[in-house]
Amino acid sequence: MSSAALRSAVQQSRRSALARSARFASTSAKAQTLKERLAELIPAEIENVKATRAEHGKKSFGPVLVDQLYGGMRGLPALIWDGSVLDADEGIRFRGKSIPEIQQALPKAPGGSEPLPEGLFWLLLTGEIPTQEQVTALSKDWAARSSLPSFVEEILDRCPPTLHPMSQFSLAVTALNHDSAFAKAYQQGISKKEYWQPTFEDAMDLIAKLPNIAGRIYRNVYGGGKLPAIDADKDYSYNLANLLGFADKPDFVELMRLYITIHSDHEGGNVSAHTGKLVGSALSDPFLAFGASLNGLAGPLHGLANQEVLIWLRKMQSKIGENASDDAVREYVWSTLKAGQVVPGYGHAVLRKTDPRYMAQREFALKHLPENPLFKLVNQVYNIVPGVLLEAGKAKNPWPNVDAHSGVLLTHYGLNQMNFYTVLFGVSRAFGVASQLIWDRALGAPLERPKSYSTEAIKKIFKDKTA
Ligand SMILES: CC(=O)SCCNC(=O)CCNC(=O)[C@H](O)C(C)(C)COP(=O)(O)OP(=O)(O)OC[C@H]1O[C@@H](n2cnc3c(N)ncnc32)[C@H](O)[C@@H]1OP(=O)(O)O
Ligand SMILES: O=C([O-])CC(=O)C(=O)O
């Protein structure tokens, strides 16, 4: 494609965002933008990948067991993602930093003590901690990009309130592909080398529009009145809380900052992150790719578990009453297992210890809601479930994951609609998936296409080998 055509596709989207931004911006004139910093970092990383492949590309990365083919590819080395890496015993690190470290290092809102997700996004993309000025500029940029096309608003307004909020979320995100800068640039013949630029614009638009989508779904489904406008002088999480109708509770706004930060990314292999990467590898634009991620996140073994946990706790309370004894709780846990169901919020495909995201939420609860009766039940369950799962002897990890704790925090502030919880998870997960899509396009990640085998083929391979 000619560079003129590229400029028209990419820069048109950028110019309109900047023009909108200029209406709001007052302080960010001199800070280096995220896109400028990325443009500096990408060439060196392309060389780094080239050198790594040249040196190690033909080396074996360990054996593949037949069990891994049948067993959900657990532990199979298959993907590259630098943004976050999971250690089975320690939990997630974002660009090498643990959750307590990012809580300490990332910029905060004035008067706040939780990290701003704006900073986490910068960290995921660049490996660097941004300045206060840079996160403020990002908040303003997102505010400037936040409005929804009217047809997307109409799609949401026409959804029956009985349609699950995650299905509505995925519909709206998919429909945003109507205005994708990447799809347009591709149609105009953009060069591969430039893919990351319209992907960046789409990723920024995607994240920016999520509070309006989430707020609209929430108010449509649960009847919360008219949506307020995005406030360009406030951070992303404040605006999200405001659109949901909870910004008058400063602790809820702080909770959103923590929540969006810690749910954002969990290395590359989890269902939502991997789905986004897979679909993006076909050069489907970020809206299509993230719509697919959301459909994976909506499954009860993945993000929907946060809804399932609260439903399970409430069912337990209605069966055995509030302030039940440890024995009654233990018996209820056993009855769940005996009914052939999983205990939601416990176990993990990779982690083998209590999830540090659970611990971060527990710390928040100890600080803000230590006397909440449901928090007390969550603690009681924490003391009982691992022992039961160990005794049952199947789960490889008996400890709680992130989803075991989020519902009690949300419900404490009055966000009681459990079916909505995974939407908040999805808002956060966009930060990780979007970062990955930008880097995949910058590094020229190829179409994903692993090999599948039939059971007959597996038998034949080993029969031939032993013959
Ligand atoms: C954000 C997130 O996605 S975090 C995960 C959220 N999901 C949940 O909390 C749902 C409850 N947990 C689970 O279902 C599982 O632990 C998963 C899906 C998270 C991980 O699955 P796997 O990697 O297959 O776990 P694992 O290897 O330990 O499973 C072995 C057996 O233990 C069972 N098991 C694992 N966790 C649990 C649990 N919490 N309750 C009951 N049984 C469990 C599995 O169902 C499996 O049974 P099977 O052999 O009859 O199929
Ligand atoms: O890592 C996983 O498989 C699931 C998980 O905790 C997440 O995606 O946040």
Side-chain angles (χ1 to χ4, degrees), residues 74 301-302 305 337 342-343 345-349 394-396 401 403:
R74 206 67 82 252
L301 296 189
H302 191 23
L337 295 181
V342 295
V343 179
Y346 281 76
H348 198 272
K394 281 214 299 188
K396 293 192 188 67
N401 61 59
D403 292 327

Side-chain angles (χ1 to χ4, degrees), residues 86 262-263 265-267 269-273 297 301-303 348-351 355 357 401-403 425 429:
L86 189 66
I262 65 175
H263 285 76
D265 208 31
H266 216 232
E267 73 171 30
N270 68 74
V271 168
S272 48
L297 194 69
L301 296 189
H302 191 23
H348 198 272
V350 184
L351 276 169
D355 192 333
R357 298 171 297 178
N401 61 59
V402 64
D403 292 327
F425 196 155
R429 191 46 58 98

Side-chain angles (χ1 to χ4, degrees), residues 32-360:
Q32 186 180 35
T33 68
L34 181 54
K35 194 171 185 183
E36 287 163 356
R37 184 66 189 129
L38 263 177
E40 286 176 351
L41 294 171
I42 285 169
E45 189 53 26
I46 290 174
E47 290 312 312
N48 186 25
V49 170
K50 260 193 210 155
T52 307
R53 290 187 69 170
E55 193 178 349
H56 304 296
K58 300 287 177 279
K59 295 178 186 165
S60 164
F61 210 67
V64 175
L65 302 179
V66 172
D67 262 350
Q68 291 176 300
L69 274 71
Y70 286 98
M73 295 180 280
R74 206 67 82 252
L76 193 74
L79 302 162
I80 295 286
W81 169 226
D82 291 325
S84 68
V85 174
L86 189 66
D87 177 89
D89 291 321
E90 194 202 42
I92 197 68
R93 279 183 179 264
F94 302 99
R95 293 277 180 179
K97 291 192 188 320
S98 67
I99 286 179
E101 285 166 359
I102 58 163
Q103 281 180 292
Q104 209 256 319
L106 290 179
K108 320 280 185 298
S113 59
E114 297 299 342
L116 288 171
E118 285 86 337
L120 193 270
F121 186 61
W122 190 292
L123 176 68
L124 281 176
L125 276 175
T126 66
E128 298 163 355
I129 302 290
T131 64
Q132 201 76 41
E133 197 184 3
Q134 285 168 326
V135 293
T136 304
L138 210 44
S139 305
K140 286 186 187 299
D141 193 347
W142 285 344
R145 296 169 184 257
S146 63
S147 64
L148 300 180
S150 54
F151 82 94
V152 174
E153 293 180 348
E154 276 167 39
I155 289 176
L156 290 175
D157 293 349
R158 293 180 71 160
C159 285
T162 45
L163 183 61
H164 194 282
M166 282 303 282
S167 310
Q168 300 195 29
F169 194 9
S170 151
L171 275 176
V173 165
T174 300
L176 288 175
N177 118 293
H178 185 270
D179 296 329
S180 164
F182 180 85
K184 189 168 173 192
Y186 191 83
Q187 286 311 317
Q188 292 180 347
I190 188 175
S191 156
K192 286 179 177 183
K193 290 198 180 85
E194 308 295 344
Y195 282 172
W196 77 268
Q197 298 205 42
T199 303
F200 179 88
E201 297 302 334
D202 281 351
M204 293 284 281
D205 281 346
L206 169 70
I207 291 173
K209 292 179 192 309
L210 297 181
N212 262 320
I213 294 178
R216 200 167 194 97
I217 295 170
Y218 187 72
R219 287 174 190 259
N220 280 353
V221 174
Y222 309 110
K226 200 172 168 313
L227 268 182
I230 292 272
D231 182 342
D233 291 324
K234 295 281 206 260
D235 64 279
Y236 187 83
S237 310
Y238 174 92
N239 275 310
L240 176 62
N242 196 30
L243 292 170
L244 297 172
F246 293 86
D248 56 333
K249 298 174 179 159
D251 289 349
F252 182 87
V253 176
E254 279 284 270
L255 173 62
M256 284 298 98
R257 292 173 182 140
L258 176 67
Y259 186 105
I260 302 296
T261 297
I262 65 175
H263 285 76
S264 58
D265 208 31
H266 216 232
E267 73 171 30
N270 68 74
V271 168
S272 48
H274 181 205
T275 303
K277 183 184 175 72
L278 168 69
V279 175
S281 86
L283 299 186
S284 306
D285 64 58
F287 304 106
L288 297 178
F290 185 62
S293 294
L294 285 175
N295 291 339
L297 194 69
L301 296 189
H302 191 23
L304 201 79
N306 62 8
Q307 152 186 322
E308 298 299 291
V309 166
L310 215 63
I311 292 173
W312 182 77
L313 290 175
R314 293 286 190 215
K315 266 193 202 155
M316 182 196 303
Q317 282 181 322
S318 68
K319 182 97 196 263
I320 62 177
E322 294 186 13
N323 304 314
S325 68
D326 286 357
D327 282 346
V329 170
R330 189 172 295 106
E331 202 176 311
Y332 188 82
V333 176
W334 273 113
S335 73
T336 301
L337 295 181
K338 284 177 186 155
Q341 295 159 18
V342 295
V343 179
Y346 281 76
H348 198 272
V350 184
L351 276 169
R352 293 296 176 257
K353 287 272 164 65
T354 296
D355 192 333
R357 298 171 297 178
Y358 177 95
M359 292 312 286

